[in-house]
Structures are given as C-alpha cells and as structure tokens.
Amino acid sequence: MLEDQGLTTRPSAKRPARPLSSSQLAKILRDPYYTGVIRSKGTLYPGRHTPLFEKELFLAVRKILDGRNRRGGERRRRPRRRGTIHG
C-alpha cells in the first residue's frame, strides 16, 4: 500500500528500493526533524529547512503511536494462566 504511493527505502548499489515497513514509517513519524528542527548531541535546535508538518500534528501522531506501543500503550496482554493444562 505504501509502495503504491511511492514510499520505499532508498536504493543502494547492493540493494534495490524496497517497500517501507510499518516500523520504518513509525520511526520517520517520530523524528522531530520533519517539524523543522535538528538534533545535535541530544538537544533540539531550529533548522534551516522547511518543516514537513506542524509541531501540533507531530505531537498528535506521536501520541497515537505511543498508544500503540507495546511497552507504554493502551494495549494490554491477556494474563497467562499458569498451571492449567490444555488438551
């Protein structure tokens, strides 16, 4: 689906372009670079490039992605039943 819209990995001399995975897309959407800032040694600075989207949209998308995160999100695993025999 993403490949149909032109979203692929960058081709190299050894590897052709491949479809972008959902984890790669999530990594891109979490990168503050696209809001017009750059990160240097852990600190964010205003960049000279044009932002791809506004900070408010970035924060809204990040909140949604965090809600889907296994470690800190809304999803919960079913508790394991220990000591039960399934047969």
Side-chain angles (χ1 to χ4, degrees):
M1 181 168 114
L2 296 174
E3 186 179 18
D4 297 338
Q5 297 178 6
L7 293 173
T8 59
T9 60
R10 191 176 350 182
S12 68
K14 295 183 179 183
R15 293 186 184 177
R18 290 191 244 162
L20 205 60
S21 69
S22 58
S23 62
Q24 289 170 318
L25 180 60
K27 186 176 179 180
I28 290 169
L29 293 174
R30 289 178 188 273
D31 190 347
Y33 174 83
Y34 299 103
T35 64
V37 298
I38 58 170
R39 184 183 315 227
S40 178
K41 298 180 183 178
T43 306
L44 297 177
Y45 298 98
R48 290 188 237 165
H49 59 288
T50 304
L52 187 61
F53 45 82
E54 296 178 8
K55 188 174 182 178
E56 293 79 21
L57 179 61
F58 171 77
L59 294 174
V61 169
R62 192 168 176 181
K63 185 176 181 181
I64 291 169
L65 292 174
D66 288 345
R68 295 179 180 179
N69 188 347
R70 290 184 208 170
R71 290 178 277 161
E74 297 171 339
R75 292 185 180 191
R76 295 183 184 175
R77 294 183 184 179
R78 291 190 316 187
R80 282 190 175 169
R81 295 183 178 185
R82 296 180 184 215
T84 58
I85 301 173
H86 298 280

